[in-house]
Amino acid sequence: MSAFVFRGYDQSQLDHQMNARGTVPDIGPFVAAYARDSARCRDKLACHVGVPFGPRPEERLDIFPAATAGPAPVFVFIHGGYWRLLDAADSAFMAETLTQAGVCVVAVNYGLAPATPLREIVRQCRAAVVWVGGNIARYGGDPAHLHVSGSSAGGHLAAMVLAPEGQREVALAGGAIRSASLMSGLYDLEPVQKANCNAWLNLDPAGAAALSPLRHLPSPALPLVVAYAPNETEEFKRQSEVYAAACAACGCPVEILVPPGVNHYDLPLQLMDPTHALTRAVLALLGR
């Protein structure tokens, strides 16, 4: 009998649970859609591409001002890719829908694992939102109305930005995180550290604990949308439910969304549809 390594899973079972790719036949079409629709938005909309938020070449933002006048709420999106794939260039597919609704959109770029350690990736994402808090007014955004969002690994990174330390750093720069939307994220890194995906993260148990959002819950009263796809693995589903429950228990208003007919990879693409339940929930948090 194989030994259990996490919550009744043996090693093979845990590796399966942590394998989001295994929930779809091929991730290629979804990755291509991220790039294609983001490029369409850059070609069609007013935007500022490659704006630096730090000294490293990967520390950059793509900014899409709102289509309406006046200070606009700001949607800051952190991409997924299991901490080792994708780019800000793949992360602006929702820009047309949200800017037309009066929202400023910011796509965050960060260094990728294994070349960039996860602790540094978290630092970069926090630094990006700190920069937005201090500088987004010059692009028509309202620094007092920031919404942080992320999908998959980006859900984890967004949740680490929401941690009290991250919120304090943003506030010191003159910004305020008012709400968030997290999609298909990982909020407890213990199983990540024990699974084969740790090959590119090199986490030890202490590092996994220190970088787990479940141990760094948002400040009370921060409204959240926590979404995941119906076909996620049981561990991905559990993590969203447990994180949402923990946030609710500490005083955050939480809406859980499990939209039918989507998967781990096309869930964030629903933000291109202004009528989708996820888009409507995000716009409601943004006051739009």
Side-chain angles (χ1 to χ4, degrees):
M1 180 181 294
S2 300
F4 295 148
V5 294
F6 181 77
R7 292 184 59 84
Y9 297 122
D10 64 23
Q11 189 64 61
S12 175
Q13 292 168 333
L14 181 61
D15 291 343
H16 170 76
Q17 288 295 317
M18 305 313 299
N19 180 19
R21 286 191 178 202
T23 62
V24 296
D26 180 10
I27 70 167
F30 306 108
V31 173
Y34 300 158
R36 180 188 66 243
D37 290 311
S38 296
R40 177 182 53 79
C41 287
R42 286 193 300 277
D43 291 343
K44 183 175 183 179
L45 304 175
C47 60
H48 307 268
V49 176
V51 177
F53 66 84
R56 298 176 61 88
E58 69 269 21
E59 295 177 342
R60 50 186 166 81
L61 308 169
D62 291 351
I63 302 172
F64 297 77
T68 54
V74 183
F75 178 88
V76 183
F77 184 72
I78 303 174
H79 70 77
Y82 235 151
W83 302 283
R84 63 173 181 164
L85 298 172
L86 302 178
D87 187 278
D90 308 306
S91 308
F93 42 82
M94 78 296 289
E96 182 175 14
T97 296
L98 297 189
T99 57
Q100 290 299 313
V103 177
C104 176
V105 173
V106 179
V108 175
N109 200 71
Y110 55 86
L112 301 177
T116 306
L118 185 55
R119 187 179 297 275
E120 170 63 7
I121 295 173
V122 169
R123 186 205 64 77
Q124 289 182 353
C125 290
R126 287 180 175 172
V129 183
V130 167
W131 187 96
V132 170
N135 295 276
I136 200 62
R138 72 181 72 166
Y139 300 94
D142 182 356
H145 197 163
L146 307 182
H147 176 104
V148 179
S149 183
S151 177
S152 194
H156 161 266
L157 295 169
M160 287 302 292
V161 173
L162 303 181
E165 179 182 352
Q167 291 196 48
R168 284 194 298 270
E169 292 173 0
V170 174
L172 287 171
I177 299 173
R178 296 299 186 193
S179 59
S181 52
L182 310 175
M183 294 164 268
S184 303
L186 289 165
Y187 310 104
D188 175 6
L189 298 192
E190 180 183 355
V192 174
Q193 188 266 326
K194 293 181 175 181
N196 56 6
C197 48
N198 199 41
W200 57 85
L201 292 175
N202 296 310
L203 293 171
D204 59 18
L211 297 171
S212 288
L214 265 175
R215 296 173 179 257
H216 308 279
L217 296 173
S219 298
L222 185 79
L224 302 170
V225 169
V226 177
Y228 62 88
N231 76 327
E232 309 274 8
T233 69
E234 291 306 310
E235 179 57 19
F236 269 81
K237 292 177 181 178
R238 185 191 73 84
Q239 293 224 2
S240 287
E241 293 284 349
V242 168
Y243 181 76
C247 290
C250 76
C252 296
V254 180
E255 180 180 3
I256 298 176
L257 286 179
V258 189
V262 299
N263 62 56
H264 180 91
Y265 294 96
D266 66 6
L267 175 58
L269 291 171
Q270 306 315 306
L271 291 170
M272 296 167 58
D273 178 0
T275 69
H276 195 272
L278 176 60
T279 312
R280 294 200 309 269
V282 168
L283 288 174
L285 290 177
L286 287 160
R288 293 293 190 266

